[in-house]
Amino acid sequence: MEFYQKEIILPVFTRGYHLITDVLKNTIINELRGIKVGQFQAFLKHTSASLTINENADPTVRLDFETHIDKMIPENMPYYQHNYEGADDMPEHIKSSMLGCQVIIPITKGELNLGVWQGIYLGEHRDYGGERKIVITIMGVKY
Amino acid sequence: MEFYQKEIILPVFTRGYHLITDVLKNTIINELRGIKVGQFQAFLKHTSASLTINENADPTVRLDFETHIDKMIPENMPYYQHNYEGADDMPEHIKSSMLGCQVIIPITKGELNLGVWQGIYLGEHRDYGGERKIVITIMGVKY
Amino acid sequence: MEFYQKEIILPVFTRGYHLITDVLKNTIINELRGIKVGQFQAFLKHTSASLTINENADPTVRLDFETHIDKMIPENMPYYQHNYEGADDMPEHIKSSMLGCQVIIPITKGELNLGVWQGIYLGEHRDYGGERKIVITIMGVKY
């Protein structure tokens, strides 16, 4: 039974949804390759962005995510009290909890056992979010 | 410390929410029975369906899930760009990320340690979703 | 590799969102301190409340959560069939699945490796929810 952990800093992303599967995987690729069966966790240390799993091919999915989720959780609702940092302040927090701040993926034979169409999205919910920290933990049985 | 993993294919379900606790549990029942304390993960390898935990008794909960979540994430929004596979194409992806594609449940004395009223739902968000693959992983300390 | 598990009962909370990071952590603080690298899970055994991670400082975030999520998932929709226990009955179930019934956090050097602004919220979605049971599981490598 092995346990590895690494904290990384993502480059700055624009507001919206971004595929980061390879960025995360490459961070810990050597340790991952050695795991026969296990679990991978990526945990985002922020409350104004999110991690989720969705379609890894067509960029219009990510555009429609931004458009529709902005309708579900809009800016400038008259009842928001928490808007010190701008119109995106309160919606970003609700989006983060609705989508979640982490992904947990089974490891099988040294690979993330994702479906053919699955990838990891960073949801950047701030207009200017800055750098984002992620803790990657993998555990499992070695070959 | 033990690690078991199995990939299964669910039978085809109709659009809506379906209780699949026993289907998942029975897949790995012998290994589960041997774990004193641990963790169970079911991971769905699709971006147009979901796994979540909710009420395991009254089927009207599952019907109301379908009705209300279809209001929150409707079909045919004029701004959807990703609708190549029909009106259910984009909503299915958003539902999958909002509800999640996995459940992780503590194992205690050889059982899934769920609350009395908790069960595992498959959310089938496509009109014709077909077969769905799930990776089940359990880990923990044996008796 | 160590595995600890404990089931606790939370005190009764009013409807809304409540910071419970310290309550959960203190339950298992001695075992946590001994883990060099690992994982912490808190699993809520109910379908009418939720656990999520969000901003740990300003209480207006928690107030705006209640206000806006009540708009997304309102009471008294004419199409709800599941309302035997009152107007909060069906919305509470949908909220629980949208926010999730658990949090999983990496452990690093005997601490929950949360971001500076992250805390654990209990979402109490019932008007009178009563006591809530949580299973806490930690696993990892000891010092």
Side-chain angles (χ1 to χ4, degrees):
Chain A
M1 180 70 196
E2 300 293 316
F3 244 105
Y4 302 105
Q5 201 174 63
K6 195 177 277 188
E7 190 162 325
I8 63 166
I9 297 178
L10 289 183
V12 176
F13 283 97
T14 55
R15 178 168 168 162
Y17 297 82
H18 306 274
L19 260 181
I20 59 167
T21 319
D22 288 343
V23 174
L24 298 186
K25 198 169 69 173
N26 290 338
T27 296
I28 204 157
I29 193 75
N30 288 334
E31 294 83 352
L32 183 66
R33 291 281 179 261
I35 301 283
K36 193 174 158 194
V37 52
Q39 189 185 82
F40 167 97
Q41 181 191 34
F43 182 89
L44 180 72
K45 297 177 75 169
H46 302 272
T47 65
S48 55
S50 59
L51 290 180
T52 189
I53 291 172
N54 221 285
E55 215 248 40
N56 61 13
D58 185 354
T60 61
V61 175
R62 273 123 45 210
L63 293 172
D64 288 352
F65 255 66
E66 179 69 6
T67 314
H68 186 66
I69 294 171
D70 276 9
K71 299 271 178 205
M72 294 174 70
I73 305 163
E75 302 192 349
N76 299 313
M77 289 296 97
Y79 45 79
Y80 289 152
Q81 298 180 53
H82 182 85
N83 48 21
Y84 317 124
E85 296 185 38
D88 57 345
D89 193 351
M90 193 57 221
E92 79 203 13
H93 291 302
I94 303 177
K95 290 171 186 174
S96 179
S97 276
M98 286 280 161
L99 292 166
C101 67
Q102 67 179 281
V103 294
I104 294 184
I105 299 166
I107 300 171
T108 309
K109 295 180 183 165
E111 294 282 354
L112 300 187
N113 196 344
L114 289 164
V116 177
W117 300 102
Q118 287 181 312
I120 303 170
Y121 284 17
L122 172 75
E124 174 53 76
H125 304 312
R126 298 232 63 181
D127 292 336
Y128 303 99
E131 292 178 338
R132 300 297 194 174
K133 288 179 203 159
I134 290 181
V135 182
I136 295 177
T137 308
I138 66 175
M139 56 177 144
V141 179
K142 289 182 83 166
Y143 276 107
Chain B
M1 181 68 196
E2 301 293 318
F3 244 104
Y4 303 105
Q5 201 175 63
K6 196 178 276 187
E7 189 161 326
I8 63 166
I9 297 179
L10 289 183
V12 175
F13 282 97
T14 56
R15 179 168 167 162
Y17 297 82
H18 304 276
L19 259 181
I20 59 167
T21 319
D22 288 343
V23 173
L24 298 185
K25 198 170 70 174
N26 290 337
T27 296
I28 205 157
I29 193 75
N30 288 334
E31 293 83 353
L32 184 67
R33 291 281 179 261
I35 301 282
K36 193 173 158 194
V37 52
Q39 189 186 82
F40 167 97
Q41 180 191 35
F43 182 88
L44 179 73
K45 297 176 74 169
H46 302 272
T47 64
S48 55
S50 60
L51 290 180
T52 189
I53 291 172
N54 221 283
E55 215 248 40
N56 61 13
D58 185 353
T60 60
V61 175
R62 270 119 52 208
L63 293 172
D64 288 352
F65 255 66
E66 178 69 7
T67 313
H68 186 67
I69 294 170
D70 276 10
K71 298 271 178 207
M72 294 173 69
I73 305 163
E75 302 191 349
N76 299 312
M77 288 297 96
Y79 44 77
Y80 289 152
Q81 298 181 53
H82 182 85
N83 49 19
Y84 317 123
E85 298 185 35
D88 57 345
D89 193 351
M90 193 57 221
E92 78 202 15
H93 291 302
I94 303 176
K95 290 172 185 174
S96 180
S97 275
M98 284 281 161
L99 292 165
C101 66
Q102 68 178 280
V103 294
I104 294 183
I105 299 166
I107 300 171
T108 309
K109 295 180 184 165
E111 295 281 355
L112 300 187
N113 195 346
L114 290 164
V116 177
W117 300 101
Q118 287 181 311
I120 303 170
Y121 285 17
L122 171 75
E124 173 54 73
H125 305 311
R126 299 232 59 182
D127 292 336
Y128 303 100
E131 293 177 336
R132 300 298 195 174
K133 288 180 202 159
I134 290 182
V135 181
I136 295 178
T137 307
I138 67 174
M139 57 177 143
V141 179
K142 290 181 84 169
Y143 277 108
Chain C
M1 180 69 195
E2 301 292 317
F3 244 103
Y4 303 104
Q5 200 173 63
K6 196 177 276 188
E7 189 161 325
I8 63 165
I9 297 179
L10 288 184
V12 175
F13 282 97
T14 56
R15 179 168 167 162
Y17 296 82
H18 305 276
L19 259 181
I20 60 167
T21 319
D22 288 343
V23 174
L24 297 185
K25 198 170 69 175
N26 290 337
T27 296
I28 205 158
I29 192 76
N30 288 334
E31 294 84 352
L32 184 66
R33 291 282 179 261
I35 300 282
K36 193 173 158 193
V37 51
Q39 188 186 83
F40 167 97
Q41 179 191 34
F43 182 87
L44 180 73
K45 297 177 75 170
H46 302 271
T47 64
S48 55
S50 59
L51 291 179
T52 189
I53 290 172
N54 221 285
E55 213 250 38
N56 62 13
D58 185 353
T60 61
V61 176
R62 275 128 38 215
L63 293 172
D64 288 351
F65 256 65
E66 179 68 6
T67 314
H68 185 67
I69 294 171
D70 276 9
K71 300 269 179 206
M72 294 173 70
I73 306 164
E75 302 192 350
N76 300 312
M77 290 296 98
Y79 44 78
Y80 289 153
Q81 299 180 52
H82 183 85
N83 49 20
Y84 317 124
E85 297 183 36
D88 57 344
D89 194 351
M90 193 57 220
E92 79 203 12
H93 291 302
I94 303 176
K95 290 171 186 173
S96 179
S97 276
M98 285 281 161
L99 292 165
C101 66
Q102 68 178 282
V103 293
I104 295 183
I105 299 166
I107 300 171
T108 309
K109 294 180 184 164
E111 295 282 354
L112 300 186
N113 195 345
L114 290 164
V116 178
W117 299 101
Q118 288 182 311
I120 304 170
Y121 284 17
L122 172 75
E124 174 54 74
H125 305 312
R126 300 231 59 183
D127 292 336
Y128 303 100
E131 292 177 337
R132 299 298 193 174
K133 289 179 202 159
I134 291 181
V135 182
I136 296 177
T137 308
I138 66 174
M139 57 178 143
V141 179
K142 290 182 83 167
Y143 277 105

